[in-house]
Amino acid sequence: MLSWLRPRWPFLALLVSGALLAGAHAFETFGKLMPCELCLEQRERHWWIVGAALVLLVAGLFFRKRVRWYDTAGAILLGLLYVCSLVSAGHHVAVEQHWMVATCDAVRDATQIRTIDFNGTFEAPRCDTPQWSLFGITMAGYNAAISLVMALLSFAIALVRPKAAP
């Protein structure tokens, strides 16, 4: 199974991170849940993965047949990026659970944020207060779990020996 995933892994990583980004934007657009500073940081990590997966897909058209270690290097790169996503999401979970102090609230300057309705009020969401959860797990928790699975799969795919050409 892992050998089958090996050449397809950048595309699957693109789909997973793209789906996570689409879900986050859907919660923002349709659910009216504004992202906090740490939520935006998590999205940034998935944009990194989407970008790296696109580069790997395009480069794979040229290098996969000529460079034996191409798929291994791509899987390791994606695995490391998913570890970055896991750390970011884990930090947000720790802040939400009050295991760590929310430093993002101290960094933000709410006077510099403007909304479309200048007569209305604007309150930036707090990083330590989850806006949504399902079965007691917040969006950051789901992001951490998915990032962990994807990182482990990436490293497992990198360890699988490629099939010998007939």
Side-chain angles (χ1 to χ4, degrees):
M1 171 82 171
L2 290 178
S3 61
W4 180 84
L5 283 175
R6 188 177 175 84
R8 296 164 179 83
W9 189 243
F11 180 70
L12 293 172
L14 174 71
L15 287 178
V16 168
S17 286
L20 288 171
L21 286 168
H25 288 294
F27 272 97
E28 183 178 345
T29 302
F30 304 116
K32 304 296 183 207
L33 299 177
M34 290 290 105
C36 69
E37 194 85 16
L38 294 178
C39 293
L40 295 174
E41 183 179 304
Q42 290 174 76
R43 289 183 193 181
E44 186 177 299
R45 304 302 182 259
H46 285 288
W47 280 115
W48 291 356
I49 294 166
V50 165
L54 285 172
V55 168
L56 288 169
L57 285 171
V58 171
L61 298 173
F62 302 103
F63 297 116
R64 181 170 283 124
K65 300 281 190 222
R66 289 184 268 172
V67 181
R68 296 183 66 208
W69 48 266
Y70 174 79
D71 289 330
T72 302
I76 290 171
L77 173 66
L78 291 170
L80 291 173
L81 290 173
Y82 274 113
V83 167
C84 290
S85 176
L86 170 64
V87 169
S88 178
H91 176 254
H92 196 179
V93 169
V95 168
E96 288 176 339
Q97 297 299 320
H98 302 284
W99 299 333
M100 296 177 68
V101 176
T103 57
C104 60
D105 292 331
V107 175
R108 185 182 314 119
D109 182 8
T111 61
Q112 298 299 319
I113 300 173
R114 300 282 187 250
T115 61
I116 293 173
D117 181 14
F118 291 108
N119 295 325
T121 60
F122 178 77
E123 185 175 322
R126 294 182 49 87
C127 294
D128 62 350
T129 307
Q131 297 183 49
W132 179 89
S133 68
L134 179 65
F135 307 120
I137 303 172
T138 64
M139 281 192 275
Y142 283 109
N143 184 17
I146 292 168
S147 294
L148 174 64
V149 169
M150 292 298 286
L152 292 175
L153 276 172
S154 287
F155 294 130
I157 287 168
L159 292 174
V160 169
R161 293 217 182 257
K163 290 184 177 180

